[in-house]
Amino acid sequence: MTNKFNTILIPALMALLAVPACSRIENAPKTAEKEGIRFAAPLQTKATDAVNTTSVFQVRDWYNGSQYHINNTLRWNATESQWVYGTAANYVWAGGNHLFFSWLEHNENYSTAAFFGTGLSASGNTLTIPAKALTTSTQQYDFMYSNPVSRNTSANDYSDVPLVFNHLFAQVAMSFQISDQTPNGEQPIYLHGVYLNDDFINSKKTVITFNDDGTADVAFSNPTKGAFSPRTDFGGISYGKGDTPVDMLSQHQSNTKDFYYFWPAEEAELSEVITVVYQIDGETDPVTGNPYIRTSKLSFPNGTTWKGGHKYSYTVTYMGAIFKVEETVMDWDYTEQAASVENQSAMASWVDWDSSSCTISGRNITFKTDLQGKLMPIHGMFKIFSPTQCTYHINLSQNASYYSFNHDFGSGIVDTSTGSIGTSTGDILPGTTIDFYIYADDNDRPAAGQPDITADLSFSVQASGGREFSLDSELQRDGAYTIIIPSM
């Protein structure tokens, strides 16, 4: 499953690892030998709810496409209040390309090894998961894998590595009932069974490829058909309007539905996999004269697919020999609370200023001039991880009319009077460095002997629902940066 987000709209992150990083601005270049590899905190699923700290994750650093630089686990250290390596180690940033990825080792209830059995293995940048049948009797296990994070030390970025997690499985619940709109006087049916039939695919093999571009490709193979539930023979009970719905997965009558984990599925895999066995009062077999038992095969609604990390609820209704399958797509959460962008915390990290584009003195960032004496654009870099859908803003405290911004060097300049950088054009991946450039007009430079022009920066994001989040505690931990236009 590929997760991308616009320059200003950041869609679909699943979970974050974070160890609080100190904001460091150094005039001297950073060196890999001095920087240990750390993962950020807190660890979250879908950037909304914190993961239970009893969970343990396998983590890898596929180095230069040839070997594992990190082959360890991550676990919660309550004393240090951060996620640490399971086996004590100090990994430094060896020069070259690092590809980080991770998957669940075990949660508070179960383990990946026990769930999938033998055959789960990592080789290079791929994770192979053996075929696994999912049924109502299968231990419920929320297996997760991360989006990869690619770093090359040539970029001089040694900030904490954020891992955004995805759920491998979908959650599905299904029920059967007689429609409330059944005409008055309609006779009840006599129900024998309602279930997912033997054409349903309940087992697949999985290969996850972690790519340098920050995406994780999930490929399924070896689809195997099989029963999802033991079938209850309802014995031809009289079943009419107002009777308690049948939970089609747990196979009992209930006013609530039970959710189970399912493999992601394509539309073709969900065709004619629902079976209803029933009788209509008075119908007889013309040959034997016995009551006629009907068997109807139903499909899920046209276009239906099941995706990992999504939760689906279905109601199959009967109304006078007409069946209807209705779908509701729900938020993925286990506390039955709304998990929306509005509830997400703001998470971002500062990367650095490009010292070739400006003079850095503490929190003061001053324009440099080129060989012709012209002011050069100041180049800054940061990353946003949450909210998952937002517009980011860079604001100036004063003198805003003297400055302008560009979120991609060489394209159109966006006036800072709105405090917004970028438009809806362009895509960046979760956690990708956002490059921004600050411009000043040479005609606006103060004359020699006049005071410099200054403005303090502030950063924020606005969630898709309208809520505003400040990013200054994340990007300017040591105080606001002051952007200085020097006098002639």
Side-chain angles (χ1 to χ4, degrees):
M1 180 169 61
T2 301
N3 290 329
K4 287 191 173 183
F5 55 93
N6 283 347
T7 300
I8 63 170
L9 291 178
I10 310 176
L13 279 77
M14 291 279 139
L16 302 174
L17 283 173
V19 176
C22 295
S23 179
R24 294 185 300 247
I25 302 299
E26 303 173 359
N27 291 325
K30 299 174 183 176
T31 60
E33 292 78 9
K34 296 180 181 179
E35 300 293 329
I37 299 175
R38 301 188 306 177
F39 293 86
L43 179 58
Q44 296 175 307
T45 60
K46 206 178 179 182
T48 55
D49 298 321
V51 166
N52 190 301
T53 53
T54 62
S55 295
V56 173
F57 294 85
Q58 288 284 341
V59 64
R60 300 290 184 271
D61 173 11
W62 182 235
Y63 174 60
N64 282 341
S66 62
Q67 64 186 31
Y68 288 129
H69 183 56
I70 296 176
N71 185 341
N72 211 325
T73 59
L74 290 174
R75 61 186 67 230
W76 179 253
N77 185 306
T79 302
E80 299 180 21
S81 296
Q82 65 183 41
W83 292 84
V84 299
Y85 296 112
T87 302
N90 181 29
Y91 301 101
V92 296
W93 288 88
N97 191 67
H98 297 257
L99 182 67
F100 302 97
F101 56 92
S102 180
W103 67 91
L104 183 65
E105 170 76 4
H106 66 73
N107 60 21
E108 66 273 24
N109 297 319
Y110 209 53
S111 73
T112 293
F115 184 78
F116 289 112
T118 59
L120 186 142
S121 63
S123 176
N125 65 326
T126 63
L127 177 67
T128 299
I129 300 173
K132 173 72 176 182
L134 299 182
T135 69
T136 53
S137 60
T138 304
Q139 169 75 36
Q140 295 294 286
Y141 188 62
D142 182 15
F143 179 77
M144 295 185 292
Y145 63 94
S146 76
N147 286 332
V149 175
S150 181
R151 294 272 183 87
N152 195 297
T153 54
S154 63
N156 204 35
D157 179 5
Y158 308 118
S159 60
D160 296 350
V161 178
L163 295 178
V164 177
F165 282 82
N166 308 291
H167 303 276
L168 177 62
F169 300 123
Q171 289 187 91
V172 179
M174 300 177 64
S175 69
F176 174 79
Q177 65 187 33
I178 304 298
S179 173
D180 289 338
Q181 298 178 23
T182 301
N184 291 331
E186 181 82 17
Q187 293 295 318
I189 63 172
Y190 298 97
L191 184 63
H192 288 270
V194 54
Y195 49 82
L196 289 174
N197 58 46
D198 289 342
D199 288 330
F200 180 74
I201 294 173
N202 69 354
S203 177
K204 294 182 179 181
K205 177 183 176 181
T206 313
V207 175
I208 303 174
T209 303
F210 301 95
N211 302 310
D212 283 330
D213 65 1
T215 61
D217 292 333
V218 183
F220 299 107
S221 61
N222 294 22
T224 303
K225 297 177 180 179
F228 188 82
S229 312
R231 292 168 191 167
T232 298
D233 185 350
F234 291 97
I237 62 170
S238 176
Y239 190 73
K241 182 166 60 175
D243 286 340
T244 303
V246 175
D247 187 310
M248 294 170 54
L249 303 181
S250 59
Q251 289 287 286
H252 67 276
Q253 287 185 260
S254 173
N255 286 313
T256 60
K257 302 174 185 177
D258 293 332
F259 281 88
Y260 291 90
Y261 292 116
F262 281 77
W263 286 105
E266 298 299 324
E267 181 178 6
E269 298 173 325
L270 299 175
S271 175
E272 295 190 348
V273 294
I274 302 170
T275 292
V276 185
V277 184
Y278 64 104
Q279 297 169 240
I280 295 177
D281 187 44
E283 280 195 345
T284 58
D285 188 304
V287 177
T288 66
N290 296 324
Y292 180 65
I293 299 178
R294 292 172 172 251
T295 299
S296 295
K297 284 190 172 184
L298 313 176
S299 300
F300 287 87
N302 289 338
T304 295
T305 60
W306 293 345
K307 297 180 180 180
H310 289 67
K311 190 173 183 178
Y312 305 90
S313 177
Y314 295 92
T315 301
V316 181
T317 57
Y318 172 86
M319 183 177 67
I322 298 173
F323 290 100
K324 184 177 182 180
V325 182
E326 299 176 298
E327 177 187 73
T328 303
V329 181
M330 308 169 69
D331 287 323
W332 181 291
D333 79 289
Y334 294 96
T335 57
E336 300 306 320
Q337 296 175 355
S340 67
V341 171
E342 292 299 284
N343 296 328
Q344 296 176 26
S345 59
M347 299 191 69
S349 67
W350 180 253
V351 176
D352 218 338
W353 295 102
D354 180 356
S355 59
S356 68
S357 71
C358 57
T359 301
I360 305 168
S361 178
R363 312 305 291 174
N364 293 329
I365 312 299
T366 304
F367 282 91
K368 283 185 175 181
T369 56
D370 60 19
L371 295 178
Q372 287 73 42
K374 302 292 186 181
L375 294 174
M376 299 169 56
I378 293 175
H379 178 195
M381 295 157 280
F382 65 96
K383 300 179 180 183
I384 299 175
F385 310 108
S386 177
T388 57
Q389 294 180 354
C390 64
T391 303
Y392 63 80
H393 302 271
I394 300 179
N395 306 299
L396 294 169
S397 60
Q398 69 278 334
N399 294 324
S401 62
Y402 290 92
Y403 301 84
S404 58
F405 284 87
N406 182 341
H407 68 88
D408 186 10
F409 187 65
S411 63
I413 295 173
V414 181
D415 194 328
T416 59
S417 61
T418 63
S420 178
I421 288 183
T423 65
S424 60
T425 60
D427 287 338
I428 57 175
L429 293 163
T432 297
T433 299
I434 297 172
D435 295 272
F436 68 96
Y437 297 81
I438 309 175
Y439 294 79
D441 194 314
D442 291 283
N443 296 324
D444 289 332
R445 289 186 67 181
Q450 295 296 314
D452 297 337
I453 297 173
T454 64
D456 290 343
L457 286 181
S458 65
F459 298 83
S460 64
V461 293
Q462 185 174 16
S464 59
R467 182 180 173 187
E468 190 84 13
F469 300 83
S470 172
L471 292 179
D472 288 334
S473 62
E474 304 287 319
L475 302 181
Q476 304 192 103
R477 295 171 185 254
D478 299 329
Y481 292 116
T482 298
I483 309 301
I484 300 172
I485 303 174
S487 60
M488 295 285 192

